[in-house]
Structure formats: structure tokens, C-alpha cells
Amino acid sequence: MNKFFKLGALLAATVAFSGCCGTCCNSDTEVSSVDAVIETIMTRRSVRDYKEEPVCREQMATIIECGIYAPSAMNMQPWAVRVVDDKAFLDGVTAIAVEQNPALKEQPGFRNFFRNAPTVAFIACPEESYSGEYDSGLLSENMMLSAWSMGIGSCCLGSVVPVMNSEAAKPYMERLALPEGYKLLVAIAFGYPAGDVPEAPARDASKAYYVE
Ligand SMILES: Cc1cc2nc3c(=O)[nH]c(=O)nc-3n(C[C@H](O)[C@H](O)[C@H](O)COP(=O)(O)O)c2cc1C
């Protein structure tokens, strides 16, 4: 299924569920002219298979800038972002993860613990913060969407956090040099997709509705 057909099907399902009012939407709208932001949102998927080449640092700079332009409560920007494209670093953490869970190596095509990504952003926020986790989530999504708009795949990796917080990974945490009082929230894998981008896992549209 091509990208536009997939997008058309997704949007048709959304309109069918929400019951378009018939005046706000032009039913003749061509799928190919759907707003680029909506197209990026609807076609982004978690990518778990990457080419070995790290993401070009110029593109990564754009991704980071898009991240920090996310909204945050009172513009506090309660986050810290550390990007690693050093293979030795990622392989070192992988060795620790495999030591803790040898079954990881049995995953088909396993190269590293970051879903084989060559570039990883570590996202941290203050341990004590009114909106740190929420704001960092917004930053993370901005990063992933801007990446996808340039054809760069990504995947949030919560599974990285306990490994990075383990005693064995202390030297790697130290290299991240997070500000005092910050905790690692998530890692985000980035890279050029190696294969087909997966289908969207099912969404439950009943979780959101108008209160009449
Ligand atoms: C906070 C968070 C943590 C996640 N952790 C992992 C993870 O450890 N490993 C993984 O493969 N995917 C992880 N994911 C990706 C989700 O599985 C994925 O977003 C979800 O299945 C929906 O698929 P989609 O992103 O392709 O739409 C995580 C996503 C989020 C938001």
C-alpha cells in the first residue's frame, strides 16, 4: 500500500468516526493535497530497522531545534537532550544490555540495543518538576515528526532507561553529563529506515469524543 493511499484510508476512517459536519470539510479534497503536517503525523511509525550510517548532523540540528521549539509550561523548557552517534558508546551500552538480558541477541538482525539505530537522543527532565515529563514528551514528538518529514525514522525507547540507570552503565550516564537533579526519561532512536516502514498498529478511536 503506498503512503498516500494509506494516509487516505486513515483520514477517511477518522472522518467517518467523527461525523464530518458537511460544511467545514471539502469532501472533494484530493488526498495528495492533504496538509504536509497531517501527512507527517499520520504516516510516522516507530522504525526498528535502520541503515548503519548515522543521521547527518545538519539534519540532526534541525531535529533538535524543532524539539526545543515545542511548547512548555511557562516556557521553562524543563529538558536536557544529549545526542550520541558514537558507535563505541552505543555498542558499549548494548554489551551491558545483553549481559543483563542475553535473549536480546536472538532478535533477528540484532546489531544494537537501540533497535539498531546509529543515532540516539537521550531525553532527560528534572526529577522535581510540575510539567517536565509532559513538556519533554512534546519535545520528543516534535523531534520525531520533524525527523520523519525529512525521511528519518525514529522510535521512542523506554526500555533503555533501566539499563542506563544500572550500575554497569554509570560511565555512560556520566558521559551524558545531565544537569544535577535530572532523570533520564526516554531514549529516541533515529536513523534512515533500512526496510519498509511498518503498518500503523490499531488505534482506539473511542477514547476521544465530544461531550454534547
Ligand atoms: C514512552 C514510550 C516508550 C516506548 N518504548 C519502546 C521500547 O522500549 N521499544 C520499542 O520497540 N518501542 C517502544 N515504543 C514505541 C511504541 O511501541 C509505539 O509508539 C507504539 O506501538 C505505536 O506505534 P507507532 O509509533 O508506529 O505508531 C515506545 C513509545 C513510547 C511513547
Side-chain angles (χ1 to χ4, degrees), residues 44-48 115 144 154-160 185-187 198-201 203:
R44 178 215 56 83
R45 296 276 71 78
S46 291
V47 172
R48 299 184 175 90
R115 293 291 187 187
M144 293 189 286
S154 65
C155 186
C156 253
L157 297 173
S159 48
V160 167
L185 201 54
V186 78
E199 294 289 319
R203 265 34 179 200

Side-chain angles (χ1 to χ4, degrees), residues 7 11-12 25 39 46 57 70 85 91 132 154 156 163 188 195 202-203:
L7 176 64
L11 291 178
C25 308
E39 188 205 327
S46 291
R57 287 194 173 192
D85 61 7
D91 287 349
S154 65
C156 253
V163 173
I188 310 176
R203 265 34 179 200

Side-chain angles (χ1 to χ4, degrees), residues 5-210:
F5 185 81
K6 236 192 264 183
L7 176 64
L10 280 166
L11 291 178
T14 308
V15 170
F17 171 77
S18 61
C20 175
C21 63
T23 52
C24 58
C25 308
N26 175 1
S27 56
D28 294 333
T29 303
E30 290 290 325
V31 168
S32 59
S33 69
V34 167
D35 180 82
V37 175
I38 297 175
E39 188 205 327
T40 302
I41 290 170
M42 298 303 281
T43 59
R44 178 215 56 83
R45 296 276 71 78
S46 291
V47 172
R48 299 184 175 90
D49 190 13
Y50 298 95
K51 293 182 180 163
E52 286 189 43
E53 161 198 4
V55 177
C56 148
R57 287 194 173 192
E58 207 171 72
Q59 287 180 308
M60 215 53 219
T62 302
I63 292 167
I64 294 166
E65 190 168 22
C66 288
I68 67 179
Y69 269 78
S72 64
M74 294 178 288
N75 195 30
M76 292 282 282
Q77 303 165 58
W79 48 57
V81 180
R82 302 288 182 265
V83 182
V84 176
D85 61 7
D86 173 15
K87 190 172 182 304
F89 184 115
L90 301 179
D91 287 349
V93 176
T94 297
I96 293 166
V98 168
E99 175 107 19
Q100 293 173 7
N101 178 12
L104 282 173
K105 272 204 129 160
E106 283 150 34
Q107 290 172 358
F110 181 86
R111 289 200 311 269
N112 81 20
F113 177 52
F114 302 91
R115 293 291 187 187
N116 294 342
T119 301
V120 177
F122 293 87
I123 313 295
C125 74
E127 274 163 29
E128 306 292 333
S129 164
Y130 151 69
S131 63
E133 294 194 9
Y134 189 93
D135 295 338
S136 298
L138 295 172
L139 162 127
S140 300
E141 180 70 335
N142 267 18
M143 290 179 73
M144 293 189 286
L145 290 175
S146 57
W148 185 234
S149 76
M150 296 186 281
I152 297 164
S154 65
C155 186
C156 253
L157 297 173
S159 48
V160 167
V161 176
V163 173
M164 287 297 286
N165 283 336
S166 69
E167 192 58 31
K170 218 170 165 191
Y172 296 98
M173 276 299 267
E174 281 169 7
R175 281 180 64 189
L176 296 184
L178 298 178
E180 187 65 29
Y182 272 54
K183 63 178 178 186
L184 182 63
L185 201 54
V186 78
I188 310 176
F190 288 99
Y192 304 108
D196 286 343
V197 171
E199 294 289 319
R203 265 34 179 200
D204 179 358
S206 71
K207 287 176 184 282
Y209 56 85
Y210 275 99

